[in-house]
Amino acid sequence: MVHELKVPDRILMGPGPSDVSSMVLRAMSTPLLGHLDPEFLEIMNRTMELLRYVFETENALTVPMSGTGSAGMETAFVNFLEPGDRVLIGVKGLFGQRMADVAGRLGADVHTVEEEWGRPIDPARFEEAIRRVKPKVVAVVHAETSTGVRQPLEDIAALAHDHGALFLVDCVTSLGGISVGVDRVDIDIAYSGSQKCLSCPPGLAPVTVSERAREVLRGRGRKVQSWYLDLTMIQEYWGAERFYHHTAPINMIYALHEALRIIREEGLVERFSRHLRLGRALQAGLEAMGLELLVEEPYRLPMLTAVKVPEGTADAEVRGTLLARYGIEIGGGLGALKGRIWRVGLMGQSCSPKNVVLFLTALEDVLRERGMDLPPGAGVARAVEVMEEGAH
Ligand SMILES: *Cc1c(COP(=O)(O)O)cnc(C)c1O
């Protein structure tokens, strides 16, 4: 006999997935509709409308792709690059590296602007590279989840457009947590994932495409290399034609619809300020405990904090105890930062005062137990102070 599925209680404070509201889980268990049922088509329309709201755009082509954030990444590159096309990618962490890998596999001519992990890329470095490479597409990661760095976008967007390039942005971790502002920043292609600050299970990758980029799509010399991710066909299922392409993951779309509805109800401004206030509180709390943060203050993401593992502390054991004793999941470092940082997420539903206080308390307990001399309660006291300042 095989027993019913049972999972332990967890608090998801890693780099994603984040906690999901019970309302979203309930929406997922709504009975199926056919993927061409007129009622489902209405749900699709509303989902696109809600996605435009969170992306802050009027782009007609704004759809959730079937697949996780990486499917969004593939969609963004495969539709706008043909073999031999030049692309310039900012690399300052794992996800920038992944972009370069994806673009290289498509046969694009890949050029990169690199920066040390933990720092943003200076736009002046893009200027020099854009002049030299003359790329068709300039791409960056807005919120680099592997390091906790926020990359400012405005200057790079302007440089790309001054030189006739499309501007492509990964906003997997930023969307729904800080403003992406697709129309304001003038981003041509942006993609995200459902399981970070949107607080929906993993499985959908929202994508939005500007008119300028659609023009490039229409002018392609050959078919998009990926059949599954071909936006020229996907747009005819999500658009007025309603042509069958592949069966939409119905219940995932219910979930996204509900997650987006919750965001609409909270309001973007409120949501951004909640992330900012609690992110600052967590970061101030960690510093008050005597811990060091990886990223300089102006470039810290509120929804993903990279904190340095104190000298002589066993990274994996601390994370293991947090999980076993308190049910709290946080992330470790990746690549060059493996064993050197912890990544603490405050994304969407997981971003609450309760989680900030609980995490700081639990971390203090685990570190003291391991012999670290910490001022008792200092982290929580400071975090609460910052939360209250932020509330006024
Ligand atoms: C999580 C993440 C991805 C990849 O998303 P998956 O859902 O894991 O495929 C891409 N870019 C960034 C910045 C991310 O944080």
Side-chain angles (χ1 to χ4, degrees), residues 178-255:
I178 57 175
S179 177
V180 174
V182 166
D183 286 0
R184 182 186 68 249
V185 176
D186 203 4
I187 299 169
D188 294 298
I189 306 142
Y191 63 87
S192 190
S194 49
Q195 79 275 23
K196 312 246 171 139
C197 289
L198 301 182
S199 276
C200 175
L204 288 174
V207 168
T208 188
V209 177
S210 73
E211 279 311 313
R212 194 192 283 124
R214 288 186 86 177
E215 205 49 58
V216 170
L217 192 59
R218 280 190 280 269
R220 283 183 63 102
R222 63 193 103 184
K223 281 186 181 177
V224 174
Q225 196 180 40
S226 165
W227 180 88
Y228 196 66
L229 302 176
D230 183 343
L231 283 173
T232 66
M233 293 193 285
I234 303 273
Q235 70 187 0
E236 296 188 337
Y237 171 55
W238 284 85
E241 301 85 350
R242 305 296 183 178
F243 286 151
Y244 163 69
H245 179 256
H246 65 271
T247 310
I250 308 291
N251 297 55
M252 273 309 303
I253 291 174
Y254 293 164

Side-chain angles (χ1 to χ4, degrees), residues 53-127:
Y53 172 72
V54 295
F55 273 121
E56 301 169 74
T57 187
E58 306 280 323
N59 286 342
L61 181 51
T62 302
V63 297
M65 298 296 288
S66 307
T68 67
S70 304
M73 189 186 288
E74 298 249 20
T75 301
F77 285 95
V78 78
N79 283 276
F80 302 96
L81 290 175
E82 300 189 42
D85 282 348
R86 284 186 301 276
V87 57
L88 181 68
I89 301 174
V91 178
K92 57 176 190 314
L94 180 91
F95 293 104
Q97 281 182 341
R98 187 176 295 181
M99 279 181 158
D101 187 7
V102 165
R105 286 165 191 245
L106 300 172
D109 179 9
V110 180
H111 299 258
T112 58
V113 179
E114 316 236 348
E115 182 51 271
E116 190 187 330
W117 288 32
R119 301 162 66 96
I121 307 173
D122 181 350
R125 310 246 336 271
F126 274 95
E127 179 158 25

Side-chain angles (χ1 to χ4, degrees), residues 255-317:
L256 182 63
H257 181 280
E258 180 61 11
L260 294 170
R261 191 195 64 75
I262 290 170
I263 294 176
R264 184 80 182 82
E265 198 167 82
E266 179 177 13
L268 277 187
V269 172
E270 282 303 311
R271 194 172 179 89
F272 298 155
S273 79
R274 169 165 61 91
H275 280 84
L276 194 60
R277 177 165 49 92
L278 297 181
R280 278 189 182 146
L282 172 71
Q283 290 160 5
L286 289 165
E287 288 185 318
M289 286 168 70
L291 299 172
E292 224 187 305
L293 304 180
L294 177 73
V295 180
E296 275 182 47
E297 203 277 325
Y299 304 107
R300 281 178 202 155
L301 289 170
M303 75 285 281
L304 197 282
T305 298
V307 51
K308 293 185 185 169
V309 176
E311 205 65 52
T313 305
D315 155 42
E317 287 172 27

Side-chain angles (χ1 to χ4, degrees), residues 117-118 144-149 292-295 304-310 313 315-316 319 330-344:
W117 288 32
E144 182 46 86
T145 323
S146 61
T147 64
V149 166
E292 224 187 305
L293 304 180
L294 177 73
V295 180
L304 197 282
T305 298
V307 51
K308 293 185 185 169
V309 176
T313 305
D315 155 42
R319 283 186 285 125
I330 63 165
L334 299 170
L337 294 171
K338 192 169 161 50
R340 291 180 45 209
I341 57 166
W342 290 311
R343 293 181 300 149
V344 187

